[in-house]
Structures are given as C-alpha cells and as structure tokens.
Amino acid sequence: DPPADTPIRQGMVITVGFLRPVIVYADGQSFIARTHATDPATIVAEMGISLGQGDTVRVDRAARPTSADIQANPALASVPILPREISVVRARTVVVDENGSHVSFQTTARTLGDALSAAGYALYEADRLSSSLGSVIPAEGLEVSIERSTPVVVLADSHPLSTRSFQ
C-alpha cells in the first residue's frame, strides 16, 4: 500500500504485505493459495472454486493472537483471524420418505442424524429408519425412509406411563 503504480514521493510510507499460504481442501483435492485475503469465501473465489447453493466454506485452522497477547497489547484484538486451512463442504441431498410423502433438502452435515436434526426432524427411539443415524451422507446424496412409532400409554400400578411402540 499504496498501489504499485503510485509515484514515490519524499516522506511516503509504503506498507508491504506478504502473501500468506492457505491450504484449501475442495472436491477431494488440496490446493495452496497465496493470498492477502482473510475471508474464507474470498480465498476460495480467488482460486476459481465455485460454490453451489448450500455449499459452505469451513475454517479448519487459523492463526490468531492469543488472549495473553491481546491482554499485553489490546490493539491486537482488532487483528483479523488469518485462515491457514479451509475446506469447501459441498451440499448433499437427503430425500426423506415418510408415509409415502417425499421431502428433499440440502445439507452440509456429515451424518444422516446430524442432517435430520438440523432439518428439524424429531425422532423417537421406537421409530424405524432405513439407514442408521450414523450413516455418512455420500456425495450422490441419500434417501431414507422413516416409519413412525405409535404413542401409547401404559397403566402400571394406577400410574400412566407414556411411551411409543412400533407394531
């Protein structure tokens, strides 16, 4: 700073910023970007990696001043976090078949359980799923069937106990 085409004059302050390496993981490959940018999405865009609707960019590792450094020098609190490793997480499609009704949604969750939870599905222990909640969602997406359990009330010693059952 200032730009390279600025004429030099006496007393001018010139700031030289070094390009920082950032490791970017995308689509099964790893790349090294050399950048001044601090915003992960900007870094990915500078590399020509396009993001689809629902894709996210996750910071896996970053350099930042420690709380001790900030306490010793409060001005460091305004220093931006510098990404060192970032990952492009592609959205995947989950199709839910519940009683013949099909609903699909995009998710960047790794597992079916996390995806269903993030999408607002409440599941009960007695519900049946065609895939386990720990199933990793593959790149091509996943279809899951949910068979809901039935709420029942059991009377034991004159005390009602609410539960669910699958018959």
Side-chain angles (χ1 to χ4, degrees):
D1 184 44
D5 60 350
T6 304
I8 297 177
R9 60 185 186 278
Q10 188 172 353
M12 174 184 254
V13 175
I14 299 173
T15 304
V16 178
F18 295 98
L19 294 173
R20 291 175 302 95
V22 178
I23 300 170
V24 178
Y25 303 101
D27 305 319
Q29 298 180 336
S30 59
F31 308 92
I32 296 181
R34 288 180 169 53
T35 183
H36 293 287
T38 58
D39 175 57
T42 301
I43 295 168
V44 168
E46 286 177 350
M47 297 186 67
I49 299 171
S50 58
L51 297 175
Q53 185 176 0
D55 293 347
T56 61
V57 180
R58 179 186 68 220
V59 176
D60 298 323
R61 189 170 61 91
R64 61 182 58 121
T66 66
S67 45
D69 292 337
I70 293 171
Q71 188 174 8
N73 183 356
L76 291 176
S78 63
V79 171
I81 294 171
L82 303 175
R84 304 299 286 161
E85 290 183 39
I86 57 179
S87 295
V88 174
V89 183
R90 299 290 184 194
R92 295 162 183 208
T93 302
V94 174
V95 178
V96 178
D97 175 3
E98 190 171 358
N99 299 324
S101 174
H102 290 78
V103 174
S104 67
F105 61 90
Q106 295 284 308
T107 185
T108 55
R110 186 175 170 278
T111 65
L112 176 61
D114 290 341
L116 291 173
S117 177
Y121 282 85
L123 298 172
Y124 299 94
E125 191 172 343
D127 292 344
R128 290 187 184 166
L129 281 78
S130 60
S131 296
S132 75
L133 294 174
S135 297
V136 174
I137 302 169
E140 63 273 8
L142 182 66
E143 185 167 342
V144 61
S145 296
I146 300 175
E147 295 180 72
R148 294 292 185 171
S149 56
T150 304
V152 295
V153 176
V154 176
L155 192 60
D157 294 329
S158 301
H159 292 88
L161 173 67
S162 296
T163 189
R164 296 184 73 90
S165 176
F166 195 88
Q167 296 225 17

